[in-house]
Amino acid sequence: MNKGLIRILDAAPVAMVVSHPDGSFEYVNPAMLQMLGYTEDEIYQKEVTISPPDEWASNQVIREQLKTSPFTPITIEKRYVHKSGRIIPGLLTIVALPDAKGDVERLIAQIVDLSQRKKEEESLWLLTLLLNNAHDAIYVADPLSGGILECNRLGHERLGYTHDEMLRMNVTDINKSLSVETSWQEMVEKTKAGDNIRESIHTHKDGSSFPVEASVSYVTKGDKGYMISVIRDITVRKKNEAIIWKQANFDPLTELPNRRLLQDRLKQEIKKAQRSKQRIAVLYLDLDRFKEVNDSLGHPKGDVLLVETAKRLKSCVRDSDTLARQGGDEFAIILGELGEKNHVERVVKDILTKLSEPFQLGDDRVYVSASIGICFYPDDGATPESLFKGADLAMYSAKDQGRNCFRYFTPSMHQAAITRIGLVRDLREALERNQFHLVYQPVVDLTTGEIHNAEALLRWQHPEQGILYPLEFITIAEETKLIADIGSWVFHQAVRQILNWRQNHDPDFKISINTSPIQYRDSKEEMKRWIPYLQEQGLPGQALAIEITEGVLMDSHTGITEQLIHFHAAGIDVVLDDFGTGYSSLAHLKKFDVDYIKIDRTFIKDLTVNPDDLVLCEAIVAMAHKLGIKVIAEGIETPEQREILKTAGCDYGQGYLFSKPVTATEFEQLLSQKEQT
Ligand code: C2E
Ligand code: MG
Ligand code: MG
């Protein structure tokens, strides 16, 4: 072989080999040795094979080719075996060299090692596989123009485009909120500055859009930059977030904002009002006697009532106002951007009118009213807490004023609230410190004028404020549940008095005591021990009467019915007090075996001047007598009232005309007078 040729082949960076027609090597260059891992001595050994045994197919092709046109170079991919056994992919170019006669003298071949390239091809393929199977859409875009340079499969499929279509598009076609000139450039700058995560909206080919989270990065190669965006479809997450947000901020029953959202809204309104120097009104609204409806008609109907109330309230306020459900039957309204206070009055009157219309709950038609408290920002308070508190106090004041009305917050309400806190504290100690006593008022037989029995009425000798009347503390005692213990004290005190008077004055004497609905719900079941206690004292049930208010009858609490039946069965009279002020019906009276009804003082007061009241009293008496119920009229102050009631057929009377409530000693004098006559 030509020396010059050998020198070139020796220096060539590509594997070269010269072989004889029989296949034996004539020359193998260093690059070839290096590629296959043999030394020069080893490679010429006969046993060395550099072609793997299963490579016969390509070998066959080469043989055929060399047979037909040996002097035309052929190029073919072929595999080789490294000395270690490792397979090396290679690209073989081979040609025969002729001798002087034109026969094949030797073959010269060049083999390019394809290992590196194959590896690169494979990793590129894997990379594509990875990208196309990713659950995120991935884009590479030109930071200057916003043109899309490349994307993975999801990148075009999710948007409804083909890959080719996608590569002709611009990021602004996908993300409509971007414009090429400004926003895209801003986004590129932000990304360069390290602001990499953002949420936006992507638009599908069909025009629909969906929320995405983009994680963006800016990379450079040489002096060229690329924007890479990994885009995640967050439709489901957003939906879930919306559900969670709704659950956290809205009342499921009425779909109104709840207490929490109300707080937020008021905070925002205050900020707005600070800027615009305008007023806000905060309204608290509580349905009057909702509990009675709920208890008597059942919770499902109570729910319907609340939903209907919410609807009516909504129709009274503007869309920009906030109407919220505070819980139970309490609603709150924020009226923002108020110019003048008058507007509030219009809204409130509208509300009271709309709520006064009857509610149809299935077959039942009910009437409810509402008590509303109003508080103004900045006049009455500067923080949400103080405004809510103010509206709440004003609402309670409206309730105290007889319901179905509204009250504006005044600082004196705040003072009253503080006083109340003091009263609660004192009430807790009143029993231990022996500050209660009972006074007694006679109930008189209207035909004979004789004392029929006594009603025991509670008095509290307050250490600083002097005598306090039930109206000043019973509600607090009920709210704090202290009424259970107080009621028990009243019972035992009254029993002691009955024993005394039965022994000393009248062996059949009877005292009636007032009871609160709360006592019937008492978990200690104190009332269950009353009948056995009377028996222990040797007293029949007839020695005691229990006065209940209509609130007790309306309470669906099962224990109440049972307890009243027990009382009645033991001979204890059940008296329905303050009749006519509540919601009870004839059906109730029958169901609960009421023995007496006491016509409320408000009907007696104007008896002589208001013919309607007379008609009512006559009707009540007639109806009660038909049911076998006796009637007591309370609050009789004048002989005229007594006469009218007597004529109307009323059985008993009670009131200042006969006697004010008096101490036990004073009452004994009344009894003695009776004995003397
Ligand atoms: P009530 O059971 O309807 O008692 C009648 C109230 O009317 C008593 O007020 C009595 O002093 C008053 N009164 C009686 N005759 C006349 C009259 O001719 N004219 C006027 N203007 N008033 C008259 P008092 O003692 O302030 O009691 C108020 C309410 O407090 C009672 O109304 C009763 O519901 C409740 N109460 C009183 N004692 C107790 C008690 O021991 N336990 C419970 N739970 N409530 C009680
Ligand atoms: Mg009473
Ligand atoms: Mg009464």
Side-chain angles (χ1 to χ4, degrees), residues 257-260 262 284-285 324-328 330-332 388:
N258 64 10
R259 192 187 291 268
R260 188 188 154 124
L262 177 74
Y284 260 28
L285 180 150
R325 182 175 175 217
Q326 285 270 77
E330 266 188 39
F331 295 86
F388 286 139

Side-chain angles (χ1 to χ4, degrees), residues 299-366:
H299 289 236
K301 287 200 176 160
D303 283 354
V304 176
L305 177 60
L306 289 174
V307 172
E308 181 59 30
T309 302
K311 264 192 217 149
R312 293 189 192 181
L313 291 176
K314 222 177 206 163
S315 72
C316 299
V317 298
R318 300 166 297 185
D319 281 348
S320 57
D321 297 326
T322 295
L323 165 65
R325 182 175 175 217
Q326 285 270 77
D329 58 343
E330 266 188 39
F331 295 86
I333 299 172
I334 305 171
L335 304 174
E337 293 171 299
L338 277 185
E340 34 172 346
K341 285 184 172 178
N342 288 359
H343 173 66
V344 176
E345 200 139 328
R346 279 199 299 276
V347 173
V348 168
K349 283 181 176 157
D350 189 24
I351 290 175
L352 290 177
T353 312
K354 291 232 166 79
L355 291 184
S356 68
E357 283 155 26
F359 288 81
Q360 193 66 40
L361 311 177
D363 298 336
D364 297 290
R365 172 174 265 227
V366 302

